Amino acid sequence: MQRFKKILHRLLYPHGAILCLLTVLCTPLLILALSSVKDAGIISYLIYVLSFYTLVACVMRVPDILRFAKKLKTHNRLIHRIFTDARFRLKLTLYSSLTLNTSYALFQLGMGLYYRSRWFLALAVYYILLTVMRFFLLRDLKQLTPGRDYAEELRRYRFCGIALAAMTPALFVIVAFIIWQNRGFSYHSITTIAMATYTFSAFTVAIVNIIKYRKHNSPLLSASKAVSMTTASVSMLSLETAMLSAFGSESDTTFRQLITGLSGAAVCLFVLGMAIYIITHAAKELKIRKQGDQHGTL
């Protein structure tokens, strides 16, 4: 009995290097197995079992990981600064989001060139424009102090709304052409899974950051989060068309057009409504500040 417990303990708590190797190995294997679920064989089932074992072993290691993270938080200078310096944490989050968004825009551009699809290229250009907007907002954030240079932040905030409103007709055109020619974004199943991972992560992070950074009362941060939300919404639209193309049948073209049209119109109206709100809110705040300055000089 004692020997059995010892073996069970070794199985549930493998060496850290072995657990890392299993995690790195199982991730691509599981994606391959899920992408060929219709042709599942004995190898696929072995991959499922190995992945389940790896997941259980990782869960058993959670208390150790938490203790290690707590130790790092106390003794590592960089990690300690991330947890204690709100401004440094904010800049780190924004620049990491910029890097991720840029990578995704280049990914869309690469897919457009590979498939020679003008729809991919049009969407890639839209993502690139959003990435450029985010870059300039972060540059302004570096130059200005959030919450102090409030009037200048409001002007940049208003310009962001104007740029989003000006780009919305291009998004309408992309959606209209998709519906008119009934052409989706035909990705491989593995690529679709990767897109889904990025899209849901980006959408979740965008919502969390909008709520989290409201306390900073910075129009520049709000503008950056608006761009993040726009990127996530358009990613959701492209993911939907990709999934309909990858997993739908050729006979449901009418359903595909209907769903794409409704969701595309919803995304376009959402982006346009957000842009109008940004413009009107910034104009109202600037007017109030101008009136206050005028009363102050009298």
Side-chain angles (χ1 to χ4, degrees), residues 206-219:
I207 294 174
V208 170
N209 285 342
I210 284 177
I211 299 172
K212 185 177 180 180
Y213 294 128
R214 287 184 64 184
K215 62 183 180 181
H216 290 278
N217 193 29
S218 170

Side-chain angles (χ1 to χ4, degrees), residues 26-291:
C26 287
T27 301
L29 289 177
L30 185 60
I31 293 175
L32 287 172
L34 290 173
S35 64
S36 58
V37 65
K38 294 181 181 179
D39 303 320
I42 184 65
I43 296 178
S44 297
Y45 291 115
L46 289 175
I47 292 173
Y48 296 150
V49 172
L50 183 62
S51 300
F52 177 74
Y53 165 72
T54 305
L55 177 62
V56 172
C58 288
V59 171
M60 298 299 291
R61 286 283 186 177
V62 167
D64 295 334
I65 294 172
L66 291 176
R67 281 193 293 269
F68 179 72
K70 187 176 181 180
K71 186 177 179 180
L72 277 180
K73 180 181 176 181
T74 305
H75 295 90
N76 187 279
R77 291 180 62 185
L78 177 61
I79 297 178
H80 181 72
R81 186 181 178 188
I82 291 173
F83 279 94
T84 56
D85 190 338
R87 183 171 176 79
F88 177 75
R89 183 171 63 249
L90 175 62
K91 292 174 68 174
L92 188 65
T93 301
L94 293 177
Y95 278 105
S96 60
S97 298
L98 174 64
T99 303
L100 186 61
N101 291 158
T102 304
S103 301
Y104 192 70
L106 294 176
F107 166 75
Q108 292 286 344
L109 180 62
M111 295 295 292
L113 295 173
Y114 179 79
Y115 287 106
R116 297 180 180 179
S117 170
R118 52 188 172 180
W119 316 123
F120 285 127
L121 294 174
L123 199 60
V125 170
Y126 191 84
Y127 279 122
I128 290 171
L129 290 174
L130 290 174
T131 302
V132 170
M133 286 177 59
R134 177 187 282 271
F135 171 78
F136 282 111
L137 285 170
L138 292 180
R139 188 197 63 175
D140 294 336
L141 181 63
K142 189 175 181 180
Q143 295 174 351
L144 303 173
T145 303
R148 294 183 183 177
D149 305 310
Y150 197 72
E152 188 61 31
E153 284 192 66
L154 283 171
R155 294 186 187 95
R156 310 290 175 88
Y157 182 53
R158 181 177 59 186
F159 178 77
C160 176
I162 294 171
L164 285 177
M167 290 167 57
T168 303
L171 186 58
F172 269 111
V173 171
I174 293 173
V175 174
F177 272 112
I178 295 172
I179 299 170
W180 178 46
Q181 293 202 355
N182 194 27
R183 294 183 60 178
F185 302 91
S186 300
Y187 294 102
H188 189 273
S189 299
I190 297 177
T191 310
T192 305
I193 294 172
M195 283 182 61
T197 303
Y198 167 82
T199 300
F200 287 113
S201 299
F203 207 80
T204 302
V205 170
I207 294 174
V208 170
N209 285 342
I210 284 177
I211 299 172
K212 185 177 180 180
Y213 294 128
R214 287 184 64 184
K215 62 183 180 181
H216 290 278
N217 193 29
S218 170
L220 271 180
L221 292 179
S222 299
S224 179
K225 296 302 107 184
V227 174
S228 296
M229 182 59 71
T230 302
T231 306
S233 300
V234 177
S235 298
M236 191 68 74
L237 176 61
S238 62
L239 173 63
E240 178 191 276
T241 55
M243 294 186 72
L244 288 173
S245 298
F247 303 110
S249 61
E250 296 294 332
S251 59
D252 57 358
T253 54
T254 304
F255 173 78
R256 185 186 305 173
Q257 284 180 313
L258 177 63
I259 293 299
T260 304
L262 291 175
S263 57
V267 170
C268 292
L269 291 174
F270 172 73
V271 174
L272 182 60
M274 186 164 53
I276 293 173
Y277 171 78
I278 290 173
I279 295 170
T280 54
H281 179 68
K284 182 180 178 181
E285 290 292 322
L286 284 170
K287 184 178 179 180
I288 293 173
R289 290 185 66 85
K290 185 177 180 180
Q291 290 175 350

